[in-house]
Amino acid sequence: MNKADQSFNEEFKPVAPPEAYHADADWQDKVLYALAQLGEGTAPDVAAKLTEYEPNEAPQGLHRQAEQVLQGLYSKGLIKGNEQDGEVSYNLSKITHANEGGTDPDLL
């Protein structure tokens, strides 16, 4: 794999929320954990959830961090979002049931 492929793969690797909240984690992991706990939410929703885990942080700072992380992941297509009335509600959509389709071997 060449260096360009490696950097692309690193930048666009799938995201996964951590299993638990860690105060020493990077902001992406903190924001993903909060979003996973909510299921779906806007940047202000995620920032509000973060205040439960980061009570000593300024709410404005938490909002800024949540917005930066969520917008960055959304713009790369790494998380989903529903835009409505100028605001994006983000989610970590998952496949909850198996596909029912099949493959036609003649088309392969």
Side-chain angles (χ1 to χ4, degrees):
M1 175 184 321
N2 68 32
K3 199 169 195 169
D5 289 343
Q6 189 174 9
S7 65
F8 176 86
N9 288 341
E10 182 63 29
E11 186 172 349
F12 290 94
K13 69 181 179 185
V15 296
E19 294 178 13
Y21 190 85
H22 299 286
D24 59 342
D26 64 22
W27 279 107
Q28 179 172 310
D29 281 350
K30 291 177 180 185
V31 169
L32 286 173
Y33 182 80
L35 180 59
Q37 297 307 300
L38 293 170
E40 184 167 343
T42 62
D45 296 335
V46 172
K49 186 68 175 173
L50 284 170
T51 62
E52 296 176 22
Y53 307 110
E54 299 281 343
N56 296 329
E57 290 285 332
Q60 302 88 339
L62 293 173
H63 182 270
R64 185 176 56 254
Q65 291 291 349
E67 193 163 15
Q68 287 176 350
V69 169
L70 293 169
Q71 285 179 351
L73 294 173
Y74 179 67
S75 69
K76 292 178 185 176
L78 297 174
I79 61 174
K80 299 242 179 174
N82 299 311
E83 296 183 45
Q84 188 173 12
D85 299 328
E87 193 166 40
V88 180
S89 184
Y90 302 95
N91 66 73
L92 301 169
S93 64
K94 301 175 190 167
I95 297 174
T96 57
H97 60 282
N99 294 329
E100 296 176 3
T103 302
D104 184 350
D106 295 333
L107 297 175
L108 297 175

